[in-house]
Amino acid sequence: MHKTRLEAFSDGVLAIIITIMVLELKVPHGEDLATLLPLAPVFLSYVLSFVYVGIYWNNHHHMLHAARQVSGGVLWANLHLLFWLSLLPFVTGWMGENHFGALPTAFYGGVLLMAAIAYWILARCIIATEGRQSPLAQAIGRDHKGLLSVVLYALAIPLAFWQTWLAQALFIAVALMWLVPDRRIERQLQHPG
């Protein structure tokens, strides 16, 4: 199967996710800066989630660029990833509206953890379809960066009940780690072998 429909569908879903998140930002009643202050947690959680959606979109694009074809398993793995990402608007709003409370922060971390696992599964399905010598398999190797992300999300979830700011710091650290699109794939596509 060709990958163009998968790419188009995924791009559409990610665009809708961003749209839903921005629609959750309510316009304040008032015209001075003081009316914006109560919206700070909502805005900050939106910024973090916007960055995460951007990271997934960038890396998903790179991963699919490295793939030559998709299978039924890849289609389902991609839907699995999109499912978890589609929950980002909910947990983003919940976390922001409750000023980064422990339970909403833990749920936010849970969605990030499951999205990271789903992304890993998607990569493995593409590699299973194309073989161990495929450009994607060669590029990501053992995927230490992806595994470290999963570990940090798993640590952040219980930390949210102790010190929410530490959980938030881990979310930001993982985002910073992935902010630049995965150069391993770019390098592999430019210099195969």
Side-chain angles (χ1 to χ4, degrees):
M1 287 183 265
H2 296 285
K3 58 185 179 174
T4 52
R5 288 193 67 204
L6 174 72
E7 291 171 315
F9 178 74
S10 300
D11 287 348
V13 170
L14 293 174
I16 290 168
I17 289 169
I18 287 174
T19 303
I20 291 169
M21 285 190 315
V22 78
L23 291 175
E24 289 295 316
L25 296 175
K26 303 299 179 209
V27 177
H29 298 287
E31 56 186 54
D32 59 350
L33 288 176
T35 60
L36 292 176
L37 199 53
L39 298 176
V42 174
F43 180 72
L44 291 174
S45 63
Y46 165 76
V47 169
L48 181 62
S49 292
F50 183 91
V51 168
Y52 265 109
V53 172
I55 288 166
Y56 273 102
W57 178 78
N58 262 298
N59 287 293
H60 187 266
H61 169 76
H62 280 81
M63 181 168 44
L64 289 180
H65 188 69
R68 292 181 294 264
Q69 60 186 355
V70 295
S71 65
V74 170
L75 294 175
W76 282 108
N78 192 68
L79 280 173
H80 179 231
L81 171 63
L82 293 176
F83 170 78
W84 290 107
L85 293 177
S86 73
L87 292 176
L88 268 178
F90 172 74
V91 292
T92 299
W94 190 27
M95 186 171 67
E97 287 291 332
N98 292 287
H99 301 261
F100 305 100
L103 188 60
T105 298
F107 267 78
Y108 187 84
V111 168
L112 291 178
L113 173 65
M114 294 309 296
I117 291 169
Y119 186 86
W120 182 86
I121 290 170
L122 176 58
R124 295 297 167 248
C125 284
I126 292 171
I127 291 168
T129 299
E130 298 196 344
R132 295 247 176 250
Q133 299 306 315
S134 68
L136 183 62
Q138 295 299 310
I140 64 173
R142 295 182 192 261
D143 196 18
H144 297 297
K145 191 171 160 181
L147 293 174
L148 178 60
S149 300
V150 168
V151 168
L152 292 176
Y153 292 141
L155 287 172
I157 294 168
L159 272 177
F161 295 104
W162 181 57
Q163 294 287 331
T164 56
W165 69 271
L166 282 174
Q168 295 293 332
L170 287 178
F171 300 154
I172 292 167
V174 174
L176 290 173
M177 191 170 71
W178 285 98
L179 203 53
V180 174
D182 201 332
R183 296 211 186 278
R184 299 172 297 177
I185 295 173
E186 286 181 357
R187 280 192 296 269
Q188 180 63 32
L189 292 173
Q190 290 170 357
H191 308 288

